[in-house]
Amino acid sequence: MSYDKEDLYIYTLHDKVKSTLELLYFDSLTQEEVPVATELSAANLATNNNGETKVDASKSEDSSYYKSDWYRFNLKRSLNGLPSLSEEAFEQLLESQSIESLSGSDTEEEDEEDVDVQNRKLESLIKKLELEKASDAEDDLKTVSHLNARSPFIFYKSSLLPENKAFGSYKGLYSEEQLLGSPLETLKSFSTESRASKSALFMIGGGHFAGAIVSHIPKNTRGNATNMKENRQEQAVNVIVSKTFHRYTTRRKQGGSQSASDNARGKANSAGSSIRRYNEQALIKEVRELLQEWNGHLKECASIFIRANGASNRKILVGYEGCVLTNDDKRIKTFPFSTKRATTSELKRAWVELSYLKVMDLPKVNEKAKKKLEKVEVKEEAQKPVERDPQEVANEQHSQELTSLLKKQKAPKLMTYIKQSKIDVDQFRLTPASKYVNYPTLLHYSSAHNLDHMVLVLMNNLKADPAIQNQFGRTPYEVTSDRDTKHSFQIARYKLGESHCDWSKTKIGPAKSKDQFIKEEEEEKERIKQEKQKLIQEELNKKTEMELRKPKISSSGSLNGGPSIASINELSGLSDQQKMRLMREQRARAAEARFKGMQGK
């Protein structure tokens, strides 16, 4: 089954389309990209090798770039987590803004004036960014609804389209009650109510005004000559009445109205300013007279679409004293898309954009919001209170207090706490078990931390069982390598006696008293002292033996046979240096004697 473009006009929606429509619902993670932004990014953004959007480096290096509106806008986009636009894309985005700067006639010719509205366009773009960011933040956690696609469209599934496509109609066509109710039923009712219905469209800004009353029943364009400037749908727009005005009200090359300039800087006295003031008042008068003239049509309109740049322009149309259109009129809506200069042809284009179903891609999942929601869920799950055994909680509190007392070796306070809390030192296990896996009991803990005094207290005073093993099969005695701690276990065994328990299971060494350990230590010290003295004496004996083995020198100078210059007893009373000096003298004399003997021969 196929369809034509004309079949998608919502006020004469064809039955073959209407019968296949089904309202689509989305969760809070669904988003829809704005088509204009997609086209711009695809056509004009520069990308690097990683697919990341970037601005032309040559532009960034120019100092003037940092003073430009392009830089200001990209900076704002980066703060909102959006990619930067190229200069060409930025210029095109400015051109598509709904702020008129030149002509208000139906032709595209330029007037005498050359009004610079760059700043107003830029401020409008930045404001839209801020509104979109605020809207995104509010929509992140919405409940499931057909309104959760962050888009100006309501989406409808249809068998006429592929699985990844959907029909879209602007939310602006519906009232608030219709949006919250059943948009599909409202859409179907448009075609039955269109015979007597019409809508009003108004655009005003920069001294330009265009207005039209449009019938919901399109014109029959068959057989008519084709207008090259309008497509077939625009030619079919049934304009009941229309009117355009253009007045010179905007300051040349500076933008903004003359009244805005007067309010900011004071009243100017130039001829141009006087002309602009007069034209502003004339434009206001003409527009309001037109609204009064169209009052009958306006009362019959189902919707009134207004595009007014700034509060002052809106006040020309709505909410003034004796106004035709009041601020509380629920029929008043804004155009949910960008518009160009206010002309009758632009009004037709806007009406076609509003009144036809669009074939669009299905909204995509917002990965950023999805990850954020998953993090929130994980955090909430982690923060949920876990129901725990009261006894386990009590054991944790006891464990903290007992281990603290053990570390500080507060024996009296430890015994008092155990007695008051009615804790069995053999049955009690430190909690949580994963933290105290190597030393589950108080005796294990004291032994592992080399608290030898607390080992004696636990065994002698509290009668802690030293045979209990941890999950690795090690007793308290085996979890320590400290000598004093091991001695404490042996002293406790001595005091408790061999009949206290089966000591073979405890792996504790033989029982000894504290005096025995002291005696053994003294004996060990004495033994070490004697060994040191023995080593010193052996060293002295070796030195003496070496001296005796050296050649002896006689008093006459002969070696090995004559009487010695100094006996061994005489040498024993000398210091090492004196001995060495004496030996040098003896060797010198011996050498001198040998030299004389050689001369005598």
Side-chain angles (χ1 to χ4, degrees):
M1 187 184 298
S2 61
Y3 61 88
D4 297 326
K5 177 70 174 179
E6 288 73 16
D7 296 335
L8 302 181
Y9 183 63
I10 62 173
Y11 293 107
T12 58
L13 195 60
H14 200 286
D15 289 339
K16 65 182 178 183
V17 177
K18 192 189 304 184
S19 61
T20 63
L21 295 179
E22 181 182 347
L23 184 63
L24 286 176
Y25 293 84
F26 306 101
D27 61 20
S28 60
L29 301 179
T30 307
Q31 66 177 354
E32 173 65 18
E33 297 178 358
V34 179
V36 173
T38 304
E39 291 168 7
L40 285 173
S41 61
N44 302 304
L45 294 184
T47 57
N48 58 21
N49 295 332
N50 297 325
E52 298 174 346
T53 305
K54 64 178 184 178
V55 180
D56 188 359
S58 62
K59 298 293 183 183
S60 300
E61 292 173 358
D62 187 358
S63 60
S64 63
Y65 165 71
Y66 297 100
K67 300 177 182 179
S68 65
D69 294 336
W70 176 32
Y71 171 74
R72 288 177 57 201
F73 185 65
N74 278 337
L75 182 62
K76 193 69 177 179
R77 284 178 66 85
S78 65
L79 292 175
N80 289 342
L82 298 173
S84 300
L85 291 180
S86 67
E87 186 174 17
E88 184 182 356
F90 174 67
E91 294 297 335
Q92 290 190 22
L93 194 58
L94 281 180
E95 287 297 325
S96 67
Q97 274 304 98
S98 56
I99 299 178
E100 289 66 23
S101 60
L102 298 176
S103 174
S105 62
D106 285 345
T107 67
E108 299 296 325
E109 297 175 359
E110 295 187 2
D111 291 338
E112 301 174 346
E113 58 184 299
D114 182 17
V115 182
D116 185 5
V117 290
Q118 185 88 350
N119 289 336
R120 291 164 56 204
K121 288 186 176 184
L122 182 64
E123 293 302 325
S124 177
L125 286 173
I126 291 176
K127 187 174 181 181
K128 282 186 178 181
L129 280 177
E130 293 173 348
L131 291 175
E132 287 171 4
K133 183 178 180 182
S135 176
D136 289 350
E138 292 175 359
D139 290 346
D140 275 346
L141 299 177
K142 278 188 177 180
T143 55
V144 175
S145 168
H146 53 274
L147 301 177
N148 269 344
R150 287 182 283 182
S151 163
F153 295 96
I154 296 286
F155 291 93
Y156 302 97
K157 185 180 179 182
S158 173
S159 58
L160 300 176
L161 299 175
E163 290 294 328
N164 61 338
K165 299 289 184 179
F167 286 120
S169 64
Y170 279 105
K171 295 176 183 178
L173 293 170
Y174 307 85
S175 65
E176 184 177 350
E177 293 79 8
Q178 290 168 342
L179 282 175
L180 296 175
S182 177
L184 179 57
E185 296 303 319
T186 302
L187 179 64
K188 291 179 179 179
S189 69
F190 284 158
S191 57
T192 59
E193 299 172 356
S194 62
R195 294 285 174 188
S197 296
K198 47 190 171 183
S199 294
L201 294 85
F202 297 106
M203 296 181 184
I204 186 170
H208 312 292
F209 168 82
I213 305 296
V214 179
S215 172
H216 291 182
I217 301 299
K219 292 191 298 186
N220 186 358
T221 59
R222 292 182 181 179
N224 294 343
T226 303
N227 186 342
M228 298 301 294
K229 293 183 179 180
E230 295 180 347
N231 60 35
R232 187 172 179 181
Q233 286 74 38
E234 290 174 0
Q235 294 178 52
V237 176
N238 191 355
V239 178
I240 300 173
V241 61
S242 67
K243 188 69 175 179
T244 60
F245 299 125
H246 170 53
R247 291 280 185 173
Y248 170 49
T249 63
T250 312
R251 303 167 66 236
R252 187 183 303 276
K253 295 185 180 180
Q254 298 183 49
S257 64
Q258 184 61 47
S259 59
S261 177
D262 291 343
N263 293 333
R265 301 181 181 87
K267 190 173 182 180
N269 296 320
S270 65
S273 63
S274 299
I275 294 172
R276 289 190 292 270
R277 289 189 200 96
Y278 172 80
N279 285 339
E280 282 185 11
Q281 296 304 314
L283 181 62
I284 293 172
K285 182 180 178 182
E286 289 171 344
V287 171
R288 290 179 178 176
E289 286 178 353
L290 179 67
L291 293 177
Q292 192 65 44
E293 182 183 340
W294 289 0
N295 192 16
H297 288 300
L298 293 174
K299 289 180 180 179
E300 298 173 356
C301 288
S303 298
I304 300 172
F305 291 92
I306 291 177
R307 202 259 10 248
N309 296 319
S312 59
N313 281 323
R314 181 179 176 83
K315 199 171 182 180
I316 297 175
L317 299 171
V318 182
Y320 56 90
E321 185 178 354
C323 60
V324 176
L325 302 175
T326 59
N327 286 318
D328 58 353
D329 193 334
K330 294 183 178 180
R331 299 175 300 164
I332 296 177
K333 303 163 185 176
T334 58
F335 290 95
F337 46 82
S338 297
T339 60
K340 298 180 181 179
R341 59 189 56 156
T343 64
T344 303
S345 61
E346 180 62 12
L347 291 176
K348 288 183 178 181
R349 188 197 69 81
W351 179 249
V352 171
E353 179 70 17
L354 280 169
S355 58
Y356 282 81
L357 293 179
K358 308 289 184 297
V359 178
M360 310 184 70
D361 293 330
L362 285 175
K364 301 176 182 178
V365 174
N366 187 342
E367 295 295 338
K368 184 177 179 181
K370 182 179 179 181
K371 290 180 181 179
K372 180 179 178 181
L373 187 61
E374 288 175 351
K375 288 181 180 178
V376 170
E377 290 175 350
V378 170
K379 186 176 180 180
E380 289 178 351
E381 187 68 25
Q383 290 177 348
K384 285 184 179 179
V386 180
E387 293 186 3
R388 302 176 61 191
D389 184 4
Q391 186 60 43
E392 183 180 359
V393 175
N395 286 347
E396 282 192 9
Q397 294 175 349
H398 290 322
S399 298
Q400 292 178 0
E401 185 65 26
L402 290 170
T403 53
S404 175
L405 293 173
L406 286 172
K407 287 180 180 179
K408 295 176 182 178
Q409 301 200 51
K410 303 287 186 180
K413 290 184 177 180
L414 176 72
M415 291 187 288
T416 302
Y417 185 87
I418 290 175
K419 183 177 180 181
Q420 291 178 349
S421 303
K422 298 180 180 179
I423 294 174
D424 187 336
V425 292
D426 292 335
Q427 298 296 325
F428 180 78
R429 296 293 180 269
L430 294 173
T431 310
S434 58
K435 182 178 179 180
Y436 302 102
V437 62
N438 288 314
Y439 28 84
T441 67
L442 297 178
L443 193 56
H444 274 94
Y445 185 90
S446 299
S447 176
H449 290 80
N450 303 324
L451 304 172
D452 51 287
H453 175 63
M454 302 310 292
V455 168
L456 288 171
V457 172
L458 287 169
M459 290 188 66
N460 294 336
N461 299 87
L462 298 174
K463 302 298 184 289
D465 187 359
I468 298 175
Q469 299 178 348
N470 61 18
Q471 70 177 45
F472 303 108
R474 303 180 71 185
T475 64
Y477 182 79
E478 293 178 299
V479 298
T480 184
S481 58
D482 181 64
R483 188 193 66 169
D484 292 338
T485 306
K486 287 183 176 293
H487 287 175
S488 295
F489 280 101
Q490 293 176 272
I491 292 170
R493 177 176 179 176
Y494 176 83
K495 289 185 177 181
L496 292 171
E498 294 299 313
S499 61
H500 177 72
C501 65
D502 186 355
W503 293 102
S504 62
K505 294 181 180 180
T506 66
K507 309 295 177 66
I508 296 175
K512 291 183 180 180
S513 66
K514 189 174 182 180
D515 293 337
Q516 285 178 300
F517 279 115
I518 293 173
K519 185 178 179 181
E520 288 178 357
E521 287 180 2
E522 291 177 350
E523 292 176 351
E524 181 68 15
K525 289 179 181 179
E526 184 63 26
R527 183 183 65 79
I528 292 172
K529 182 179 179 181
Q530 291 177 359
E531 288 182 354
K532 286 182 178 180
Q533 290 177 350
K534 184 178 178 181
L535 289 173
I536 292 171
Q537 187 62 39
E538 288 178 354
E539 188 67 22
L540 290 174
N541 292 337
K542 287 181 181 179
K543 288 182 179 180
T544 303
E545 186 177 353
M546 290 175 64
E547 293 292 338
L548 292 174
R549 289 178 182 177
K550 290 180 180 180
K552 297 180 180 179
I553 302 173
S554 64
S555 58
S556 61
S558 61
L559 296 173
N560 299 327
S564 61
I565 297 173
S567 65
I568 297 302
N569 292 332
E570 292 175 345
L571 291 174
S572 62
L574 300 177
S575 65
D576 292 340
Q577 290 182 351
Q578 291 173 334
K579 291 177 181 179
M580 291 175 66
R581 188 162 52 250
L582 181 61
M583 295 300 292
R584 283 197 299 270
E585 291 177 356
Q586 290 175 346
R587 284 193 289 271
R589 291 175 182 175
E592 184 179 355
R594 288 196 301 273
F595 181 71
K596 287 181 179 180
M598 291 174 64
Q599 285 181 344
K601 292 179 181 181

